[in-house]
Coordinates of all heavy atoms in Angstrom, one line a residue:
M1 N 88.9 120.3 99.0 CA 87.9 120.7 98.1 C 86.5 120.4 98.6 O 86.3 119.3 99.1 CB 88.2 120.0 96.7 CG 87.2 120.4 95.7 SD 87.5 119.5 94.1 CE 88.9 120.4 93.5
N2 N 85.7 121.4 98.6 CA 84.3 121.2 99.0 C 83.3 120.9 97.8 O 83.8 120.9 96.7 CB 83.8 122.3 99.9 CG 83.7 123.6 99.1 OD1 83.5 123.6 97.8 ND2 83.9 124.8 99.7
K3 N 82.1 120.6 98.1 CA 81.1 120.2 97.0 C 81.0 121.3 95.9 O 81.0 120.9 94.7 CB 79.8 119.9 97.7 CG 78.8 119.4 96.7 CD 77.5 119.1 97.3 CE 76.4 118.7 96.2 NZ 75.1 118.3 96.8
S4 N 80.9 122.5 96.3 CA 80.7 123.5 95.3 C 82.0 123.7 94.4 O 81.8 123.9 93.2 CB 80.3 124.9 95.9 OG 81.3 125.3 96.8
E5 N 83.1 123.6 95.0 CA 84.3 123.7 94.2 C 84.5 122.4 93.3 O 84.9 122.5 92.2 CB 85.6 123.7 95.2 CG 85.8 124.9 96.0 CD 86.7 124.8 97.0 OE1 87.1 123.7 97.5 OE2 87.2 125.9 97.5
F6 N 84.0 121.2 93.7 CA 84.1 120.0 92.9 C 83.0 120.1 91.8 O 83.4 119.8 90.7 CB 83.7 118.8 93.8 CG 83.9 117.5 93.2 CD1 85.0 117.2 92.5 CD2 82.8 116.6 93.2 CE1 85.1 115.9 91.9 CE2 83.0 115.3 92.6 CZ 84.1 115.0 91.9
I7 N 81.9 120.7 92.0 CA 80.9 120.9 91.0 C 81.5 121.8 89.9 O 81.3 121.6 88.8 CB 79.6 121.4 91.6 CG1 78.9 120.4 92.3 CG2 78.7 122.0 90.4 CD1 77.7 120.9 93.2
A8 N 82.1 123.0 90.3 CA 82.7 123.8 89.4 C 83.8 123.2 88.6 O 83.9 123.4 87.4 CB 83.3 125.0 90.2
K9 N 84.6 122.2 89.2 CA 85.6 121.5 88.5 C 85.1 120.6 87.5 O 85.5 120.5 86.3 CB 86.5 120.8 89.5 CG 87.6 120.0 88.9 CD 88.8 120.8 88.4 CE 89.9 120.0 88.0 NZ 90.5 120.5 86.8
I10 N 84.0 119.9 87.8 CA 83.3 119.0 86.9 C 82.8 119.7 85.7 O 82.9 119.3 84.6 CB 82.2 118.2 87.6 CG1 82.7 117.2 88.6 CG2 81.3 117.5 86.6 CD1 81.6 116.6 89.5
A11 N 82.1 120.9 86.0 CA 81.5 121.7 84.9 C 82.5 122.2 84.0 O 82.4 122.1 82.8 CB 80.8 122.9 85.6
E12 N 83.7 122.6 84.5 CA 84.8 123.1 83.7 C 85.4 122.0 82.9 O 85.6 122.2 81.6 CB 85.9 123.7 84.6 CG 87.1 124.2 83.8 CD 88.3 124.6 84.8 OE1 87.9 125.2 85.9 OE2 89.4 124.5 84.4
D13 N 85.7 120.8 83.4 CA 86.3 119.7 82.8 C 85.4 119.1 81.7 O 85.8 118.7 80.6 CB 86.8 118.6 83.7 CG 87.9 119.1 84.5 OD1 88.5 120.2 84.2 OD2 88.3 118.4 85.5
A14 N 84.0 119.1 81.9 CA 83.1 118.4 81.0 C 82.4 119.4 80.1 O 81.6 119.0 79.3 CB 82.1 117.6 81.8
G15 N 82.7 120.7 80.3 CA 82.0 121.7 79.4 C 80.5 121.8 79.7 O 79.7 122.0 78.8
L16 N 80.2 121.7 81.0 CA 78.8 121.7 81.4 C 78.5 123.1 82.1 O 79.4 123.7 82.6 CB 78.4 120.5 82.3 CG 78.6 119.1 81.7 CD1 78.4 118.1 82.9 CD2 77.5 118.9 80.7
K17 N 77.2 123.3 82.3 CA 76.9 124.5 83.1 C 76.9 123.8 84.6 O 76.8 122.7 84.8 CB 75.4 124.9 82.9 CG 75.2 125.6 81.5 CD 73.8 126.2 81.4 CE 72.9 125.0 80.9 NZ 71.5 125.5 80.7
K18 N 77.2 124.8 85.5 CA 77.3 124.3 86.9 C 76.1 123.6 87.3 O 76.1 122.7 88.1 CB 77.6 125.5 87.8 CG 79.1 126.0 87.7 CD 79.3 127.0 88.8 CE 80.8 127.5 88.6 NZ 81.1 128.6 89.6
S19 N 74.9 124.1 86.9 CA 73.6 123.5 87.4 C 73.5 122.1 86.9 O 73.1 121.1 87.6 CB 72.4 124.3 86.9 OG 72.4 124.4 85.5
D20 N 74.0 121.8 85.6 CA 74.0 120.4 85.1 C 75.0 119.6 85.8 O 74.7 118.4 86.0 CB 74.3 120.4 83.6 CG 73.2 121.1 82.8 OD1 72.0 121.1 83.3 OD2 73.4 121.6 81.7
A21 N 76.2 120.1 86.2 CA 77.2 119.3 86.9 C 76.7 119.0 88.2 O 76.8 117.9 88.8 CB 78.5 120.1 87.0
E22 N 75.9 119.9 88.9 CA 75.4 119.6 90.2 C 74.3 118.6 90.2 O 74.2 117.6 91.0 CB 74.8 120.9 90.9 CG 74.3 120.7 92.2 CD 73.9 122.0 92.9 OE1 73.6 123.0 92.2 OE2 73.6 121.9 94.1
K23 N 73.5 118.6 89.1 CA 72.5 117.5 88.9 C 73.1 116.2 88.7 O 72.7 115.1 89.3 CB 71.6 117.8 87.7 CG 70.6 119.0 87.9 CD 69.8 119.2 86.6 CE 68.9 120.4 86.8 NZ 68.3 120.8 85.6
F24 N 74.2 116.2 87.9 CA 74.9 114.9 87.7 C 75.5 114.3 89.1 O 75.4 113.2 89.4 CB 76.1 115.1 86.7 CG 77.1 114.0 86.9 CD1 76.8 112.8 86.3 CD2 78.3 114.1 87.5 CE1 77.7 111.7 86.4 CE2 79.2 113.1 87.6 CZ 78.9 111.9 87.0
L25 N 76.2 115.2 89.8 CA 76.8 114.8 91.0 C 75.7 114.3 92.1 O 75.9 113.3 92.6 CB 77.6 115.9 91.7 CG 78.3 115.6 93.0 CD1 79.3 114.4 92.8 CD2 79.1 116.8 93.5
D26 N 74.6 115.1 92.2 CA 73.5 114.6 93.1 C 73.0 113.3 92.6 O 72.7 112.4 93.5 CB 72.4 115.7 93.2 CG 72.9 116.9 93.9 OD1 73.9 116.9 94.6 OD2 72.3 118.0 93.7
A27 N 72.8 113.1 91.3 CA 72.3 111.8 90.8 C 73.3 110.7 91.1 O 72.9 109.6 91.5 CB 71.9 111.9 89.3
F28 N 74.5 110.9 90.9 CA 75.5 109.9 91.1 C 75.6 109.5 92.6 O 75.5 108.3 92.9 CB 76.9 110.5 90.7 CG 78.0 109.5 91.1 CD1 78.3 108.4 90.2 CD2 78.8 109.6 92.2 CE1 79.4 107.5 90.5 CE2 79.9 108.8 92.5 CZ 80.2 107.7 91.6
V29 N 75.6 110.5 93.5 CA 75.7 110.2 95.0 C 74.4 109.4 95.4 O 74.4 108.4 96.1 CB 75.8 111.4 95.8 CG1 75.6 111.2 97.3 CG2 77.3 112.0 95.6
S30 N 73.2 109.8 94.8 CA 72.0 109.2 95.2 C 71.9 107.8 94.7 O 71.5 106.9 95.5 CB 70.8 110.0 94.5 OG 69.6 109.3 94.7
N31 N 72.4 107.5 93.5 CA 72.5 106.2 93.0 C 73.4 105.3 93.7 O 73.1 104.1 94.0 CB 72.7 106.1 91.5 CG 71.5 106.5 90.6 OD1 70.7 105.6 90.5 ND2 71.4 107.7 90.2
V32 N 74.6 105.8 94.2 CA 75.5 105.0 94.9 C 74.9 104.6 96.2 O 75.0 103.5 96.6 CB 76.9 105.8 95.1 CG1 77.8 105.0 96.1 CG2 77.7 106.0 93.8
K33 N 74.3 105.5 96.9 CA 73.6 105.2 98.1 C 72.6 104.2 98.0 O 72.5 103.2 98.8 CB 72.9 106.5 98.7 CG 73.9 107.5 99.3 CD 73.0 108.6 99.9 CE 73.7 109.9 100.1 NZ 72.8 111.0 100.5
Q34 N 71.7 104.3 96.9 CA 70.7 103.3 96.7 C 71.2 101.9 96.4 O 70.7 100.9 96.9 CB 69.8 103.8 95.6 CG 68.5 102.9 95.3 CD 67.6 103.5 94.2 OE1 68.1 104.3 93.4 NE2 66.4 103.1 94.2
I35 N 72.3 101.8 95.5 CA 72.9 100.5 95.3 C 73.4 99.9 96.5 O 73.2 98.7 96.7 CB 74.1 100.8 94.2 CG1 73.5 101.1 92.8 CG2 74.9 99.5 94.1 CD1 74.4 101.8 91.9
M36 N 74.1 100.6 97.3 CA 74.7 100.1 98.6 C 73.6 99.7 99.5 O 73.7 98.7 100.2 CB 75.7 101.1 99.2 CG 76.9 101.3 98.4 SD 78.0 102.7 98.9 CE 78.5 102.1 100.6
A37 N 72.5 100.5 99.6 CA 71.4 100.2 100.6 C 70.7 98.9 100.1 O 70.2 98.1 100.9 CB 70.4 101.3 100.5
N38 N 70.7 98.6 98.8 CA 70.1 97.3 98.3 C 71.0 96.1 98.5 O 70.6 95.0 98.1 CB 69.7 97.5 96.8 CG 68.6 98.5 96.6 OD1 67.8 98.7 97.5 ND2 68.5 99.0 95.4
G39 N 72.2 96.3 99.0 CA 73.2 95.2 99.2 C 74.0 94.9 98.0 O 74.7 93.9 98.0
D40 N 74.0 95.8 97.0 CA 74.7 95.5 95.8 C 76.0 96.3 96.0 O 76.2 97.1 96.9 CB 74.0 95.9 94.6 CG 72.7 95.2 94.3 OD1 72.7 93.9 94.7 OD2 71.7 95.7 93.9
K41 N 76.9 96.1 95.0 CA 78.1 96.8 95.0 C 78.3 97.5 93.6 O 77.8 97.0 92.6 CB 79.4 96.0 95.4 CG 79.8 94.9 94.4 CD 81.0 94.3 95.0 CE 81.4 93.1 94.1 NZ 82.6 92.4 94.6
L42 N 78.9 98.6 93.6 CA 79.3 99.3 92.3 C 80.7 99.4 92.1 O 81.5 99.8 92.8 CB 78.8 100.8 92.5 CG 79.1 101.8 91.3 CD1 78.4 101.4 90.1 CD2 78.7 103.2 91.7
Q43 N 81.1 98.7 90.9 CA 82.5 98.6 90.5 C 82.7 99.6 89.4 O 82.1 99.5 88.3 CB 82.8 97.3 90.1 CG 83.0 96.3 91.2 CD 83.5 94.9 90.6 OE1 82.7 94.2 90.1 NE2 84.8 94.7 90.8
L44 N 83.6 100.6 89.6 CA 84.0 101.5 88.5 C 85.4 101.1 88.2 O 86.4 101.5 88.9 CB 83.9 102.9 88.9 CG 82.5 103.4 89.4 CD1 82.5 104.8 90.0 CD2 81.5 103.3 88.2
T45 N 85.6 100.3 87.0 CA 86.9 99.9 86.7 C 87.9 101.0 86.6 O 87.7 102.0 86.0 CB 86.9 99.1 85.3 OG1 85.8 98.1 85.4 CG2 88.1 98.5 84.9
G46 N 89.0 100.8 87.2 CA 90.1 101.8 87.3 C 90.0 102.8 88.4 O 90.9 103.4 88.7
F47 N 88.8 102.8 89.0 CA 88.6 103.8 90.1 C 88.5 103.1 91.4 O 89.2 103.3 92.3 CB 87.4 104.7 89.8 CG 87.2 105.7 90.8 CD1 88.0 106.8 91.0 CD2 86.1 105.7 91.7 CE1 87.8 107.8 92.0 CE2 85.9 106.7 92.7 CZ 86.8 107.7 92.8
G48 N 87.4 102.2 91.5 CA 87.2 101.5 92.8 C 85.9 100.9 92.9 O 85.1 101.0 92.0
T49 N 85.6 100.3 94.1 CA 84.3 99.6 94.3 C 83.7 100.2 95.6 O 84.4 100.3 96.7 CB 84.6 98.1 94.6 OG1 85.3 97.7 93.4 CG2 83.3 97.4 94.8
F50 N 82.4 100.5 95.5 CA 81.7 101.0 96.6 C 80.7 99.9 97.0 O 80.1 99.2 96.1 CB 80.7 102.2 96.2 CG 81.4 103.4 95.7 CD1 81.8 103.6 94.4 CD2 81.7 104.4 96.7 CE1 82.4 104.8 94.0 CE2 82.4 105.6 96.3 CZ 82.7 105.8 94.9
E51 N 80.6 99.6 98.3 CA 79.7 98.5 98.8 C 79.4 98.7 100.3 O 80.2 99.4 101.0 CB 80.3 97.1 98.5 CG 81.5 96.8 99.3 CD 82.0 95.3 98.9 OE1 81.1 94.4 99.0 OE2 83.2 95.2 98.7
A52 N 78.4 98.1 100.8 CA 78.1 98.2 102.2 C 78.5 96.8 102.8 O 78.3 95.8 102.2 CB 76.5 98.3 102.3
K53 N 79.2 96.9 103.9 CA 79.7 95.7 104.6 C 79.0 95.6 106.0 O 78.6 96.5 106.5 CB 81.1 95.7 104.8 CG 81.9 95.7 103.5 CD 83.4 95.5 103.8 CE 84.2 95.4 102.5 NZ 85.5 95.2 102.6
D54 N 78.7 94.3 106.4 CA 78.1 94.1 107.6 C 79.2 94.2 108.8 O 80.2 93.7 108.6 CB 77.5 92.7 107.7 CG 76.3 92.6 106.8 OD1 75.5 93.6 106.6 OD2 76.1 91.5 106.2
R55 N 78.8 94.9 109.8 CA 79.6 95.0 111.0 C 78.9 94.2 112.1 O 77.7 94.4 112.4 CB 79.9 96.4 111.4 CG 80.8 96.5 112.6 CD 81.1 97.9 113.0 NE 82.0 98.5 112.1 CZ 82.3 99.8 112.0 NH1 81.7 100.6 112.7 NH2 83.2 100.2 111.1
A56 N 79.6 93.2 112.7 CA 79.0 92.4 113.7 C 78.7 93.1 115.0 O 79.4 94.2 115.3 CB 79.9 91.2 114.0
A57 N 77.7 92.7 115.8 CA 77.5 93.3 117.1 C 78.7 93.1 118.0 O 79.4 92.1 117.8 CB 76.3 92.7 117.7
K58 N 79.0 94.0 118.9 CA 80.1 93.8 119.8 C 79.8 94.5 121.1 O 78.9 95.3 121.3 CB 81.4 94.3 119.2 CG 81.3 95.8 118.7 CD 82.6 96.3 118.1 CE 82.5 97.7 117.7 NZ 83.7 98.1 117.0
E59 N 80.7 94.3 122.1 CA 80.6 95.0 123.3 C 81.7 96.1 123.3 O 82.8 96.0 122.9 CB 80.9 94.0 124.5 CG 79.8 93.3 125.0 CD 80.0 92.6 126.4 OE1 81.0 92.8 127.0 OE2 79.0 91.9 126.8
G60 N 81.2 97.2 123.9 CA 82.2 98.4 124.0 C 82.1 98.8 125.5 O 81.5 98.2 126.3
V61 N 82.9 99.9 125.7 CA 83.0 100.4 127.1 C 82.6 101.9 127.0 O 83.2 102.6 126.2 CB 84.4 100.1 127.7 CG1 84.5 100.8 129.1 CG2 84.7 98.7 127.7
N62 N 81.8 102.4 127.9 CA 81.5 103.8 128.0 C 82.7 104.4 128.7 O 83.0 104.2 129.9 CB 80.2 104.0 128.9 CG 79.9 105.5 129.0 OD1 80.7 106.3 128.9 ND2 78.6 105.7 129.3
P63 N 83.4 105.3 128.0 CA 84.6 105.8 128.6 C 84.4 106.7 129.8 O 85.3 106.8 130.7 CB 85.3 106.6 127.5 CG 84.1 106.9 126.5 CD 83.2 105.8 126.6
A64 N 83.2 107.3 129.9 CA 83.0 108.1 131.1 C 82.7 107.4 132.4 O 83.1 107.8 133.5 CB 81.8 109.0 130.8
T65 N 82.0 106.2 132.3 CA 81.6 105.4 133.4 C 82.3 104.1 133.5 O 82.4 103.5 134.6 CB 80.2 105.2 133.4 OG1 79.9 104.3 132.2 CG2 79.3 106.4 133.3
G66 N 83.0 103.6 132.4 CA 83.6 102.3 132.5 C 82.6 101.2 132.3 O 83.0 100.0 132.3
E67 N 81.4 101.5 132.2 CA 80.3 100.5 132.0 C 80.3 99.9 130.7 O 80.5 100.6 129.7 CB 78.9 101.2 132.2 CG 77.8 100.3 132.1 CD 76.5 101.1 132.2 OE1 76.5 102.3 132.5 OE2 75.3 100.5 131.9
K68 N 80.1 98.5 130.6 CA 80.1 97.8 129.4 C 78.7 98.1 128.6 O 77.7 98.2 129.3 CB 80.3 96.3 129.6 CG 81.7 95.8 130.0 CD 81.8 94.4 130.0 CE 83.3 94.1 130.4 NZ 83.5 92.7 130.2
I69 N 78.8 98.3 127.3 CA 77.6 98.5 126.6 C 77.6 97.7 125.4 O 78.6 97.2 124.9 CB 77.4 100.0 126.1 CG1 78.7 100.4 125.3 CG2 77.3 100.9 127.3 CD1 78.6 101.8 124.7
K70 N 76.4 97.3 124.9 CA 76.3 96.5 123.7 C 76.2 97.5 122.5 O 75.4 98.4 122.5 CB 75.1 95.6 123.8 CG 75.2 94.6 124.8 CD 74.0 93.6 124.8 CE 74.2 92.5 125.8 NZ 73.1 91.7 125.9
I71 N 77.0 97.2 121.5 CA 76.9 97.9 120.2 C 76.3 97.1 119.1 O 76.7 96.0 118.9 CB 78.3 98.4 119.7 CG1 78.9 99.3 120.8 CG2 78.2 99.1 118.4 CD1 80.4 99.5 120.6
A72 N 75.1 97.5 118.6 CA 74.4 96.7 117.7 C 75.1 96.5 116.4 O 75.9 97.2 115.9 CB 73.0 97.4 117.4
A73 N 74.7 95.4 115.7 CA 75.2 95.1 114.3 C 74.7 96.2 113.4 O 73.6 96.7 113.6 CB 74.8 93.7 113.9
C74 N 75.4 96.5 112.3 CA 75.0 97.5 111.4 C 75.7 97.4 110.1 O 76.6 96.5 110.0 CB 75.3 98.9 112.0 SG 77.0 99.3 112.3
K75 N 75.3 98.1 109.1 CA 76.0 98.0 107.8 C 76.9 99.3 107.8 O 76.5 100.4 108.2 CB 75.0 98.1 106.7 CG 74.3 96.8 106.5 CD 73.4 96.8 105.2 CE 72.7 95.5 105.2 NZ 73.5 94.3 104.8
V76 N 78.1 99.3 107.2 CA 79.0 100.4 107.1 C 79.4 100.5 105.6 O 79.5 99.6 104.9 CB 80.2 100.3 108.0 CG1 79.9 100.3 109.5 CG2 80.9 99.0 107.7
P77 N 79.5 101.8 105.1 CA 79.9 102.0 103.8 C 81.4 101.7 103.6 O 82.2 101.8 104.5 CB 79.6 103.5 103.5 CG 79.7 104.1 104.9 CD 79.2 103.0 105.8
S78 N 81.8 101.1 102.4 CA 83.1 100.7 102.2 C 83.5 101.1 100.8 O 82.7 101.1 99.9 CB 83.3 99.3 102.3 OG 84.5 98.8 101.9
F79 N 84.7 101.6 100.6 CA 85.3 101.9 99.3 C 86.6 101.3 99.2 O 87.5 101.5 100.1 CB 85.4 103.4 99.1 CG 86.1 103.8 97.8 CD1 85.4 103.7 96.6 CD2 87.4 104.2 97.8 CE1 86.0 104.0 95.4 CE2 88.0 104.6 96.6 CZ 87.3 104.4 95.3
K80 N 86.9 100.6 98.1 CA 88.1 99.9 97.9 C 88.7 100.5 96.6 O 88.1 100.4 95.5 CB 88.1 98.4 97.7 CG 89.4 97.8 97.6 CD 89.3 96.3 97.5 CE 90.7 95.7 97.3 NZ 90.6 94.2 97.0
A81 N 89.8 101.2 96.7 CA 90.4 101.9 95.5 C 90.9 100.8 94.4 O 91.4 99.7 94.8 CB 91.6 102.7 95.9
G82 N 90.7 101.2 93.2 CA 91.2 100.3 92.1 C 92.7 100.5 91.8 O 93.3 101.5 92.3
K83 N 93.3 99.6 91.0 CA 94.6 99.7 90.8 C 95.1 101.0 90.0 O 96.0 101.6 90.4 CB 95.1 98.5 89.8 CG 96.6 98.4 89.6 CD 96.9 97.3 88.7 CE 98.4 97.1 88.4 NZ 99.3 98.3 88.4
T84 N 94.2 101.4 89.0 CA 94.6 102.6 88.3 C 94.7 103.9 89.3 O 95.5 104.7 89.2 CB 93.6 102.9 87.2 OG1 93.5 101.7 86.4 CG2 94.0 104.0 86.3
L85 N 93.7 104.0 90.2 CA 93.6 105.0 91.2 C 94.8 104.9 92.1 O 95.5 105.9 92.3 CB 92.3 105.0 92.0 CG 92.2 106.0 93.1 CD1 92.3 107.5 92.5 CD2 90.9 105.9 93.8
K86 N 95.1 103.7 92.6 CA 96.3 103.6 93.5 C 97.6 104.0 92.7 O 98.5 104.7 93.3 CB 96.4 102.1 93.9 CG 95.4 101.7 95.0 CD 95.6 100.2 95.3 CE 94.4 99.6 96.1 NZ 94.6 98.2 96.3
D87 N 97.8 103.5 91.5 CA 99.0 103.9 90.7 C 99.1 105.4 90.5 O 100.2 106.0 90.6 CB 98.9 103.2 89.4 CG 99.1 101.8 89.5 OD1 99.5 101.2 90.5 OD2 98.9 101.0 88.5
E88 N 97.9 106.1 90.3 CA 97.8 107.5 90.1 C 98.4 108.3 91.4 O 99.1 109.3 91.4 CB 96.6 108.0 89.6 CG 96.4 109.5 89.4 CD 97.2 109.9 88.0 OE1 97.3 109.0 87.1 OE2 97.6 111.0 88.0
L89 N 97.9 107.7 92.5 CA 98.3 108.4 93.8 C 99.7 108.2 94.2 O 100.3 109.0 94.9 CB 97.4 107.9 94.9 CG 95.9 108.2 94.8 CD1 95.1 107.4 95.9 CD2 95.7 109.7 94.8
N90 N 100.3 107.1 93.7 CA 101.7 106.8 93.9 C 102.7 107.1 92.9 O 103.8 106.5 92.9 CB 101.8 105.4 94.4 CG 101.1 105.1 95.7 OD1 101.3 105.6 96.7 ND2 100.1 104.2 95.6
K91 N 102.5 108.1 92.0 CA 103.4 108.5 91.0 C 104.6 109.2 91.6 O 104.5 109.9 92.5 CB 102.8 109.4 90.0 CG 101.9 108.6 89.0 CD 101.5 109.6 87.8 CE 100.7 108.9 86.8 NZ 100.3 109.8 85.7

């Protein structure tokens, strides 16, 4: 399912116009990004938790040359599914 199909599904299920559903989805995604960028986490009970995790610096290998390279520390997005979502997927 792509974004436009997802927006159509939200609009249908919530009884909204597609433009309103798109505004909602864009606002949701924007807020999740902002929350994670601030170092906070978003818990949606029954669905899951969005958060940013720190990834330590490490050494890697350039596969083309075999040369060792340094990979800088960074933050990576993380999603952990909640129990209700896991149960729904495993019916």
Side-chain angles (χ1 to χ4, degrees):
M1 178 177 288
N2 63 32
K3 183 179 178 181
S4 61
E5 292 169 337
F6 187 50
I7 289 169
K9 180 75 171 138
I10 291 171
E12 179 184 325
D13 290 353
L16 300 171
K17 292 187 279 182
K18 284 185 182 179
S19 61
D20 291 336
E22 184 173 12
K23 287 177 189 175
F24 163 76
L25 182 60
D26 290 342
F28 177 79
V29 170
S30 175
N31 278 281
V32 171
K33 287 182 197 176
Q34 187 175 19
I35 289 166
M36 292 171 64
N38 291 338
D40 297 326
K41 66 180 176 180
L42 172 63
Q43 282 185 285
L44 300 174
T45 303
F47 184 70
T49 303
F50 297 89
E51 66 181 314
K53 293 187 176 184
D54 293 322
R55 180 178 286 167
K58 60 184 178 180
E59 274 195 5
V61 177
N62 180 336
T65 63
E67 178 185 352
K68 288 188 178 185
I69 57 173
K70 291 183 181 180
I71 301 171
C74 63
K75 292 188 181 283
V76 294
S78 171
F79 175 76
K80 181 178 179 187
K83 182 180 181 334
T84 306
L85 177 58
K86 288 178 188 175
D87 291 347
E88 184 70 24
L89 295 174
N90 291 303
K91 279 186 175 181

